Amino acid sequence: MTLASKSVVWNGQGPVHIGTYDPVNGRPEMGFLTNLYSVGCGNRTLALTPARETNTIPESCSGQRLPLKVMETGKSLAVSLEMVQFDGRTLAAAFYGAAVAKVAGTVTDEVLAELQPGDYFFLKNPRSSSVVIEDDAATAYVEGTHYEVSDADHSRYRLLEHPAGHVEPLKVDYEYAGFVNIAAFSKSSVERGIIFSGVNGDGQKARVIIPRIGLAMSGDFGWISDEASSITLAGQALYVPELAADTEFGPFTRIDLMPDLPV
């Protein structure tokens, strides 16, 4: 293939896939990434920032200490991905946790803290139904009289009044549907890899594979916002010893330019 001398204006768009680096079960052609999934189409930016660290050696002949040699001491690649569409796995990575699917089930005798009329209370599991509330003397609480359902999906309820002579504590039996749980900050670090399949406005294509990135959330995440909240995952690309000698990857990243992309 002849390499053209034309320049490229890159205004790319394209899907981003996130995976887990696994040198045992993964394939080197994919950067050893497994469990790849698409983070969605609402990607605002994917930015790579190369950096080069150097030391300068001054000369000692002229008396002016002019630069004689620049010695390279290190290279790095910063990665930043901003998204407005994402799933539980990506949200979990931002909060140093794992997304765990909880199957539907039942709960018996969940104990409530002491409540006063007008107090709200939440059950341990969301998406609750078939709620039965009794006090310690087995006196039943009646929906609409003693309590009301504020939001069953959030398992949020409100006590209206106690039956006469109620005995603490109150206990709840209920069913709940499946949900996804994220135990935030349950992991000390989150390491993932990224594959970007991009195309710009001229139909020119590029593919970028970064096998290992130490990801962390950069900036804020707005749970209450007038606009769509975005998550930015950012971190350093990490050295990949299994690919260091691979002529197509190098130690950090592989970039493939499609045949119709002039360089």
Side-chain angles (χ1 to χ4, degrees), residues 28-262:
E29 296 80 7
M30 288 179 54
F32 293 108
L33 291 178
T34 61
N35 301 320
L36 282 169
Y37 69 93
S38 175
V39 297
C41 296
N43 302 315
R44 284 182 171 170
T45 59
L46 173 62
L48 309 185
T49 307
R52 179 172 174 259
E53 299 175 5
T54 61
N55 283 336
T56 301
I57 300 176
E59 53 82 26
S60 58
C61 296
S62 69
Q64 301 183 61
R65 305 294 288 174
L66 300 174
L68 175 67
K69 183 176 178 61
V70 175
M71 295 183 61
E72 185 177 277
T73 59
K75 296 187 183 77
S76 63
L77 179 67
V79 183
S80 176
L81 173 62
E82 182 183 5
M83 301 158 282
V84 292
Q85 184 183 20
F86 43 84
D87 65 3
R89 289 168 291 187
T90 307
L91 185 65
F95 285 92
Y96 298 97
V100 179
K102 299 286 188 177
V103 299
T106 60
V107 173
T108 302
D109 289 342
E110 182 174 316
V111 178
L112 301 180
E114 187 171 347
L115 300 168
Q116 300 299 322
D119 287 352
Y120 286 88
F121 61 94
F122 290 78
L123 302 179
K124 178 181 179 180
N125 300 289
R127 306 187 70 191
S128 55
S129 62
S130 304
V131 172
V132 176
I133 302 176
E134 294 183 343
D135 68 3
D136 205 41
T139 302
Y141 280 57
V142 178
E143 181 183 347
T145 300
H146 301 112
Y147 74 95
E148 65 180 7
V149 181
S150 177
D151 190 311
D153 274 344
H154 291 97
S155 287
R156 184 177 70 239
Y157 298 83
R158 182 169 177 259
L159 179 70
L160 299 177
E161 65 177 15
H162 290 292
H166 84 281
V167 181
E168 293 289 335
L170 305 187
K171 299 177 182 179
V172 187
D173 298 344
Y174 62 95
E175 300 175 0
Y176 62 91
F179 63 98
V180 175
N181 171 258
I182 298 172
F185 291 88
S186 59
K187 296 181 176 295
S188 58
S189 63
V190 177
E191 186 178 301
R192 294 289 186 270
I194 286 177
I195 298 181
F196 168 61
S197 308
V199 59
N200 70 3
D202 294 329
Q204 299 162 327
K205 298 179 180 180
R207 182 179 67 172
V208 180
I209 304 176
I210 310 172
R212 297 179 63 211
I213 310 167
L215 289 176
M217 184 163 63
S218 175
D220 302 324
F221 178 71
W223 290 99
I224 299 177
S225 175
D226 290 335
E227 299 179 356
S229 294
S230 65
I231 279 182
T232 300
L233 296 179
Q236 292 278 347
L238 304 176
Y239 179 71
V240 186
E242 292 82 4
L243 295 171
D246 191 304
T247 57
E248 295 182 340
F249 265 96
F252 281 146
T253 303
R254 172 176 178 169
I255 300 174
D256 295 323
L257 308 180
M258 304 302 113
D260 59 349
L261 179 60

